[in-house]
Amino acid sequence: MTEQHPTQAMAEVESATPAPAVTRRWGLAAMAAAAAAAGAGVAWWRLQPGEADLTGFWGLSFPTPDGTTLTMASLRGKPLLVNFWATWCPPCIEELPLLSRFYEANWASGWQLVGLAVDQPDPVKRFLDRTPVAFPVAMAGLAGVDLSKQLGNDAGGLPFTVVFDAEGTLRHRKIGQVHEADLKAWRG
């Protein structure tokens, strides 16, 4: 057995065990990865169809631009697409003609569609006078942001669309502009 110089023995011990800073960095990285995975899991769960708390949703009512009232209960029992939009939202405005065509093509087979404007009444009235849509529009105002969050739109962004089946179960959610492929998939 050869004798080692004390500094040589110390160097071997230090190289065999990671430095505290390296260990700490790995520990922090592992914690960050676990937190990210947990956050992704929560986001995935919240976006699963049928998981939103719909307590009270079907009891809501909203004023319409023409002065009547639209009750959500009156729309229960058939498939329902609800689109949250605003006049100041370019992708919202861009998708409205597509939604209007979808409604016209599918209302006879039981599909319903309502646009909930997260906006002020005057701009919505002016917009609808210039660009009418075939489906009912109601005024959700700023409360529409909270409602969309309850339905799974955590960021409150627009446009936001949800689809309910005839039993009132939330089946689909989409944050962002709706396209023809979305409507075909939802229609089944």
Side-chain angles (χ1 to χ4, degrees), residues 34-178:
V42 168
W44 175 85
W45 177 82
R46 286 194 46 98
L47 289 177
Q48 293 310 295
E51 296 294 332
D53 178 12
L54 299 176
T55 307
F57 175 78
W58 296 106
L60 295 174
S61 61
F62 301 95
T64 64
D66 65 6
T68 62
T69 299
L70 176 74
T71 61
M72 298 313 290
S74 70
L75 302 172
R76 196 165 189 173
K78 296 178 182 178
L80 171 65
L81 185 149
V82 179
N83 178 258
F84 292 84
W85 68 285
T87 60
W88 44 263
C89 167
C92 299
I93 300 307
E94 194 173 316
E95 74 183 359
L96 288 177
L98 174 66
L99 293 173
S100 196
R101 287 190 304 273
F102 173 81
Y103 178 72
E104 288 177 319
N106 293 284
W107 73 267
S109 61
W111 272 90
Q112 302 175 99
L113 193 152
V114 64
L116 290 180
V118 181
D119 208 328
Q120 297 295 316
D122 288 337
V124 172
K125 287 177 192 174
R126 284 193 303 272
F127 175 81
L128 293 175
D129 285 343
R130 286 189 317 268
T131 314
V133 295
F135 54 88
V137 171
M139 302 302 308
L142 289 179
V145 174
D146 290 334
L147 178 57
S148 76
K149 286 181 178 182
Q150 291 172 20
L151 295 172
N153 180 8
D154 290 340
L158 293 176
F160 177 64
T161 304
V162 293
V163 178
F164 297 92
D165 65 17
E167 288 76 40
T169 302
L170 182 57
R171 291 293 175 197
H172 306 283
R173 294 182 182 104
K174 179 161 185 180
I175 298 171
Q177 189 172 349
V178 170

Side-chain angles (χ1 to χ4, degrees), residues 20-34:
V22 172
T23 305
R24 197 169 325 142
R25 273 185 266 157
W26 278 107
L28 291 173
M31 286 174 40

